[in-house]
Amino acid sequence: MTYVVTDNCIRCKYTDCVEVCPVDCFYEGENFLVIHPDECIDCGVCEPECPAEAIKPDTEPGLDKWLKVNAEYASMWPNITVKKDAMDGAKEMDGETGKFDKYFSEKPGAGD
């Protein structure tokens, strides 16, 4: 099992989760974070830290897409281990549905 970052992170990109991760398995895109499934040790400390509740265990139903997205982009984007400010408008974007299709960017973030 691993944890995955899901749709609600897009255009919020809170990074509270990255500073508590003991194995530094988060990777940063332009407007989204992902977890590298081969690096995640399933400790779960990141899940309650996410203000947008976008981190879920991959054992929850319907998360196959997100496991693939996390695995694909974790291999391309830079590692992030330090907390940064959330994106402008994060509070307004929190809870919007269908964010992947509307806003997802494949571009990498800055990383550390």
Side-chain angles (χ1 to χ4, degrees):
M1 184 173 99
T2 185
Y3 281 80
V4 294
V5 182
T6 62
D7 197 55
N8 205 39
C9 179
I10 298 170
R11 289 195 57 189
C12 289
K13 200 168 84 170
Y14 293 103
T15 56
D16 304 62
C17 53
V18 303
E19 71 178 357
V20 298
C21 180
V23 294
D24 299 335
C25 66
F26 281 87
Y27 293 81
E28 182 183 19
E30 178 180 46
N31 67 359
F32 184 53
L33 299 174
V34 294
I35 294 172
H36 196 301
D38 294 335
E39 296 174 3
C40 178
I41 60 170
D42 186 32
C43 67
V45 297
C46 59
E47 184 180 21
E49 295 300 318
C50 180
E53 298 180 0
I55 300 173
K56 306 288 181 194
D58 73 340
T59 54
E60 285 191 15
L63 294 181
D64 292 342
K65 168 189 176 175
W66 293 106
L67 182 57
K68 290 175 185 171
V69 167
N70 278 246
E72 179 179 354
Y73 290 96
S75 66
M76 295 188 284
W77 290 346
N79 189 241
I80 179 170
T81 61
V82 295
K83 183 176 177 177
K84 299 179 180 180
D85 292 337
M87 296 186 77
D88 289 340
K91 287 182 182 177
E92 293 76 25
M93 292 300 299
D94 188 358
E96 183 173 330
T97 59
K99 292 186 345 180
F100 187 82
D101 292 332
K102 294 178 200 174
Y103 308 118
F104 177 74
S105 170
E106 293 185 350
K107 294 178 183 177
D112 287 347

